[in-house]
Amino acid sequence: MFSKIAINNVKRSFKDYSIYFLTLTLGVCIFYSFNSLDSQNAIQEMNKNTIFRESLELLMSGTSVFVSIILGGLIVYANNFLIKKRKRELGLYMTLGMSKGKISRILIVETLLIGVVSLIVGIGLGIIVSQGLSVLTANILSMDLDKYKFVFSLAAMMKSIVYFGIIYLLVMIFNQFTISKYKLIDMLNASKRNEEVKLKNPFVSVLTFILSVAFLIFAYMRILETGLNAEYTDLIITILMGVFGTLLFFFSLSSFFIQIAQKNKGFYFKNINIFVLRQINNKVNTNFLSMTIISLMLFLTISLIFTAFDLKGTIDKNTANTTPFDASAFLVVNQEEEDPAVNDIEAYLNNIDFTFEAYEKHAFFDEYLLDLTIEDLLSQYLSDEEKIAIQENYMYGPVSALKISDYNAIINLTGQESVDLKEDEILVVSTYGKIIQALPEYMKNEENIIIEDKAYKIKNDVAIEENIKINRGSNFFYLIIPDNFTGNLQLEYTSFNVIYEDRYNEKSEEKFTTLFNDLDDNKYRSINPGLVIGSTENQIKEQEKGSAALFIFLGLFLGLIFIISSAAVMALQQLSDASDSLERYKLLKKIGVTDKLINGAILKQCLIYFLLPLGLAVIHSIVGIKAVSGMFHFNYESVLISSLILVIIYGGYFYATYVGVKNIVKGSN
């Protein structure tokens, strides 16, 4: 009997359950899709990299738990709205003699029914979506799409069933607890609810609104000035100001909005605008806290999705700017070691019987540290923000140097001609000019660099930005000094670079990859205790693409969950408010208001209610993205993709809500 009642309830109330069912289905779909990543071809290729595999497993496990908590809270919240909406119906069951225990059993069967159907549909959609995710993964990692094949992940399916099974169990327990607290009189009078006005004084509401705008503007100015380079305390203060400003904005918005609208009598009394404005006022007034949270979640969503796709473009541009070398390695010098052979990478390679073939052009060179720091060198030109940037980008400490003979050996590998350097001249090789303006300013205004009280003339007008080894992703600063430099030099690294001959590229790549992997595993420590670190150009590319993939997956996963959660809460609030306002719509019909005007009023309410938190979130996002624009290569593709995802999901929930509210009002007639 209970099953029959539950099934009939779900069928009869399908329109009420549609948003709830849609949210469950999308949640399962996204959860399955991202947890099936490790089964995809491109990821399995990357899984040969132990660090990437372990990072992916840790990331997906931690994120899955976090996401399940968010979805669990959302589903309980959505279920609570549905229970409140059905108070009168449940009260009628009790009036007819049904006990609370039997009502709870009906709700348990309904939850099971909706849960099973949403799991089946969600996993089915997830299998389809995961194929698109597989193509995206292959694109991120620059894999050959010819290797693509249809993938089904049993592990992801079981994980989805277990996690959502636990969530549904919590919903059942919550329903039992909720029903046990309700009284019959409250259930039967559930639709008779009045809104409590938060701000009655017009002056206070206007003042609070102005204060909220002031907080937000001040927070925007602070973050645009410092970006993420601000000190931790200052950054936290800026964030708190933004959050508090957002809260005050929605707290005061409804009263402020009404005050402004009432000034324009023609607009206020046109058609049924007075009804629309009062409805919006009631909604915002009641739900200002949830609208604050939703606006902040949408801000995170836009930022995460934008950053995820923009990071892909940034990595693509970085990998396009390849270094001329195919492999590089360096030995970290042990200053306490007396035997010079232990600190010589060439001797190290001889000890482990590693030799270079004739088709592997190479050059050995030494890197030194000078008695000079970048802060001392540029002290007169560094701004406070640039001093912070130096710390943030690890650009502090002694300046590195190479002797001119070693530098010429390096550039000769690439086919460049040797550089002549006099005894009192110096070359600047650096990318610091991309981070701080102090270096270009110094080279523009100064002719010499003072090292240990001796002046060396700067030979080049602009810093050479070509690195001396494979070290992409890190900024560098080297001074090229004469071979007979007489100042203090501390040997830091002994290194080598290699360029393969094209026809032996694969063979050499495999050879050096094996060498560097063996070095990472400390295979030769018993032969020579020296620490040697190396990588090939392809290894660096794979690491960068692997890191990009992890961040993109995380950004998309969390971004999609946040936008679904935000849109679902907005939709459920609208549907719940529509049920509570049925008497008002009936009164409109009685006084002769047409269906066209009523439907227009519903559309305006839904549109404004959905746009309010989104509009403020977009402003937050524009400011936030501008503040960190220096970290990314801004491109319009990321903006278009982010906007498209937002419009499809958020717009889909808006339309479903509009149709749902319209059907509720129409059904009441």
Side-chain angles (χ1 to χ4, degrees):
M1 182 182 75
F2 296 122
S3 300
K4 187 175 181 180
I5 293 174
I7 292 171
N8 287 333
N9 282 344
V10 172
K11 287 180 179 178
R12 179 170 48 83
S13 305
F14 180 75
K15 292 176 182 177
D16 297 338
Y17 277 107
S18 58
I19 298 292
Y20 184 52
F21 179 76
L22 175 64
T23 302
L24 291 176
T25 303
L26 287 177
V28 174
C29 169
I30 293 170
F31 193 87
Y32 170 87
S33 299
F34 281 89
N35 278 282
S36 67
L37 280 172
D38 58 354
S39 300
Q40 296 174 10
N41 297 355
I43 296 298
Q44 287 180 344
E45 287 290 323
M46 288 295 295
N47 276 349
K48 296 173 184 177
N49 184 323
T50 305
I51 296 175
F52 177 82
R53 183 178 65 249
E54 292 176 351
S55 299
L56 179 63
E57 290 174 356
L58 183 63
L59 178 71
M60 296 313 298
S61 297
T63 307
S64 294
V65 172
F66 176 69
V67 165
S68 64
I69 293 172
I70 292 177
L71 286 175
L74 171 65
I75 292 169
V76 169
Y77 180 82
N79 184 75
N80 186 41
F81 265 107
L82 292 174
I83 294 296
K84 283 184 178 180
K85 185 178 183 303
R86 297 177 61 191
K87 270 186 178 181
R88 188 175 179 82
E89 174 194 338
L90 300 178
L92 289 174
Y93 287 158
M94 291 181 66
T95 304
L96 295 172
M98 188 176 289
S99 66
K100 289 183 179 180
K102 291 179 179 179
I103 292 174
S104 296
R105 271 183 261 174
I106 292 173
L107 293 177
I108 287 172
V109 176
E110 289 180 15
T111 304
L112 277 174
L113 181 62
I114 295 171
V116 169
V117 174
S118 64
L119 267 175
I120 293 171
V121 177
I123 290 174
L125 284 175
I127 293 171
I128 297 171
V129 171
S130 65
Q131 310 311 310
L133 193 61
S134 182
V135 174
L136 174 63
T137 305
N139 180 258
I140 293 170
L141 300 176
S142 301
M143 298 288 183
D144 188 1
L145 286 175
D146 292 338
K147 297 180 180 178
Y148 167 80
K149 64 179 181 180
F150 184 86
V151 174
F152 168 73
S153 174
L154 181 62
M157 185 186 77
M158 295 307 298
K159 193 172 183 180
S160 301
I161 292 172
V162 170
Y163 275 61
F164 279 86
I166 294 172
I167 291 173
Y168 296 151
L169 180 62
L170 291 174
V171 169
M172 294 175 194
I173 295 172
F174 177 81
N175 285 344
Q176 294 268 21
F177 177 73
T178 303
I179 293 298
S180 66
K181 290 197 309 177
Y182 284 157
K183 295 178 181 178
L184 179 59
I185 188 67
D186 295 330
M187 290 183 174
L188 294 176
N189 293 316
S191 61
K192 299 175 182 178
R193 186 182 63 146
N194 294 319
E195 306 288 350
E196 180 186 351
V197 179
K198 308 294 180 184
L199 283 177
K200 297 182 180 180
N201 190 311
F203 175 76
V204 175
S205 67
V206 172
L207 184 64
T208 306
F209 183 82
I210 294 173
L211 186 63
S212 72
V213 174
F215 265 106
L216 290 175
I217 291 175
F218 196 50
Y220 293 159
M221 291 171 62
R222 284 171 63 94
I223 197 67
L224 287 173
E225 183 180 351
T226 62
L228 297 181
N229 293 325
E231 292 185 6
Y232 179 77
T233 305
D234 290 337
L235 189 60
I236 292 298
I237 291 173
T238 302
I239 293 171
L240 290 177
M241 288 177 64
V243 172
F244 189 62
T246 304
L247 178 64
L248 287 181
F249 179 83
F250 287 109
F251 179 70
S252 61
L253 181 63
S254 59
S255 298
F256 176 78
F257 189 58
I258 286 292
Q259 299 300 323
I260 298 299
Q262 286 178 338
K263 300 292 183 183
N264 188 341
K265 303 296 183 182
F267 170 77
Y268 190 63
F269 292 109
K270 183 179 180 181
N271 294 329
I272 55 172
N273 283 353
I274 186 172
F275 172 78
V276 174
L277 293 172
R278 288 294 175 182
Q279 284 289 97
I280 294 171
N281 177 66
N282 290 339
K283 296 174 191 294
V284 178
N285 181 62
T286 304
N287 301 313
F288 76 92
L289 183 59
S290 62
M291 291 187 77
T292 300
I293 296 172
I294 288 168
S295 183
L296 294 173
M297 285 182 67
L298 288 172
F299 159 60
L300 287 175
T301 298
I302 296 169
S303 301
L304 283 169
I305 296 176
F306 173 86
T307 304
F309 284 106
D310 206 63
L311 181 64
K312 168 67 170 65
T314 302
I315 294 297
D316 285 345
K317 288 187 178 181
N318 285 344
T319 53
N321 299 325
T322 57
T323 62
F325 312 111
D326 293 309
S328 295
F330 61 91
L331 184 150
V332 181
V333 172
N334 183 353
Q335 303 298 332
E336 298 178 358
E337 181 59 55
E338 296 181 359
D339 184 2
V342 175
N343 288 327
D344 184 5
I345 195 168
E346 188 171 5
Y348 183 101
L349 294 176
N350 290 333
N351 288 340
I352 64 173
D353 296 326
F354 183 88
T355 58
F356 293 91
E357 303 297 337
Y359 48 81
E360 294 164 348
K361 295 192 298 181
H362 60 281
F364 291 98
F365 57 96
D366 297 332
E367 299 178 53
Y368 300 92
L369 294 177
L370 299 170
D371 282 344
L372 175 71
T373 66
I374 193 69
E375 297 97 320
D376 294 336
L377 178 64
L378 305 176
S379 58
Q380 295 182 4
Y381 296 89
L382 286 170
S383 65
D384 291 338
E385 290 78 12
E386 289 179 332
K387 290 177 181 178
I388 295 173
I390 284 177
Q391 297 294 322
E392 293 286 337
N393 291 278
Y394 303 100
M395 291 156 45
Y396 51 85
V399 172
S400 297
L402 269 76
K403 291 186 176 181
I404 185 62
S405 56
D406 283 344
Y407 180 71
N408 283 331
I410 293 170
I411 63 175
N412 289 161
L413 273 181
T414 64
Q416 299 180 52
E417 295 183 359
S418 297
V419 177
D420 292 327
L421 202 64
K422 297 178 182 178
E423 292 184 1
D424 62 343
E425 288 184 330
I426 209 165
L427 268 177
V428 178
V429 178
S430 176
T431 56
Y432 280 15
K434 297 179 179 179
I435 308 296
I436 55 176
Q437 289 300 312
L439 179 60
E441 286 295 317
Y442 182 95
M443 296 185 68
K444 179 181 178 182
N445 296 303
E446 304 288 343
E447 294 183 354
N448 300 313
I449 291 178
I450 308 300
I451 305 176
E452 298 180 45
D453 298 326
K454 183 176 179 180
Y456 291 86
K457 185 178 180 181
I458 304 173
K459 186 177 179 69
N460 48 328
D461 296 326
V462 179
I464 300 169
E465 295 186 351
E466 187 175 285
N467 206 342
I468 62 166
K469 59 185 177 183
I470 296 175
N471 192 29
R472 196 181 318 111
S474 299
N475 293 293
F476 54 87
F477 186 96
Y478 296 100
L479 294 181
I480 310 304
I481 58 177
D483 285 338
N484 58 355
F485 180 83
T486 56
N488 291 324
L489 289 176
Q490 179 181 314
L491 185 62
E492 184 182 20
Y493 306 122
T494 59
S495 315
F496 72 79
N497 288 331
V498 185
I499 296 180
Y500 313 145
E501 193 173 317
D502 288 343
R503 56 179 174 164
Y504 297 108
N505 191 289
E506 289 186 11
K507 185 177 180 180
S508 295
E509 178 67 25
E510 183 179 355
K511 173 184 172 181
F512 281 91
T513 299
T514 302
L515 170 66
F516 297 144
N517 288 338
D518 289 342
L519 290 171
D520 286 341
D521 295 334
N522 297 318
K523 181 178 179 179
Y524 304 113
R525 276 298 178 92
S526 60
I527 301 174
N528 189 317
L531 174 61
V532 178
I533 300 172
S535 58
T536 68
E537 175 72 8
N538 287 339
Q539 284 179 314
I540 294 291
K541 286 181 179 179
E542 286 186 3
Q543 290 170 8
E544 289 183 343
K545 290 174 181 176
S547 299
L550 292 178
F551 282 111
I552 291 170
F553 296 151
L554 180 64
L556 287 177
F557 196 7
L558 293 180
L560 290 173
I561 292 299
F562 284 165
I563 192 173
I564 288 171
S565 302
S566 302
V569 170
M570 298 286 288
L572 290 165
Q573 287 178 347
Q574 286 282 77
L575 293 172
S576 178
D577 289 341
S579 298
D580 294 333
S581 302
L582 283 178
E583 294 300 322
R584 298 170 187 171
Y585 286 104
K586 288 179 181 177
L587 285 173
L588 289 177
K589 291 287 291 182
K590 287 179 181 178
I591 62 175
V593 178
T594 63
D595 289 337
K596 182 179 179 180
L597 281 177
I598 290 176
N599 290 338
I602 293 171
L603 178 62
K604 291 175 184 176
Q605 289 176 59
C606 291
L607 186 61
I608 293 172
Y609 194 70
F610 269 80
L611 286 181
L612 281 176
L614 178 62
L616 189 57
V618 169
I619 296 172
H620 287 349
S621 301
I622 291 171
V623 174
I625 291 169
K626 186 173 178 59
V628 298
S629 58
M631 300 171 60
F632 301 97
H633 295 285
F634 181 86
N635 62 85
Y636 290 102
E637 181 184 353
S638 58
V639 176
L640 290 173
I641 295 174
S642 305
S643 303
L644 185 62
I645 292 174
L646 187 66
V647 168
I648 290 174
I649 298 178
Y650 201 71
Y653 268 96
F654 158 72
Y655 181 74
T657 304
Y658 166 64
V659 172
V661 172
K662 195 166 67 169
N663 287 334
I664 289 173
V665 173
K666 185 179 179 181
S668 67
N669 296 325

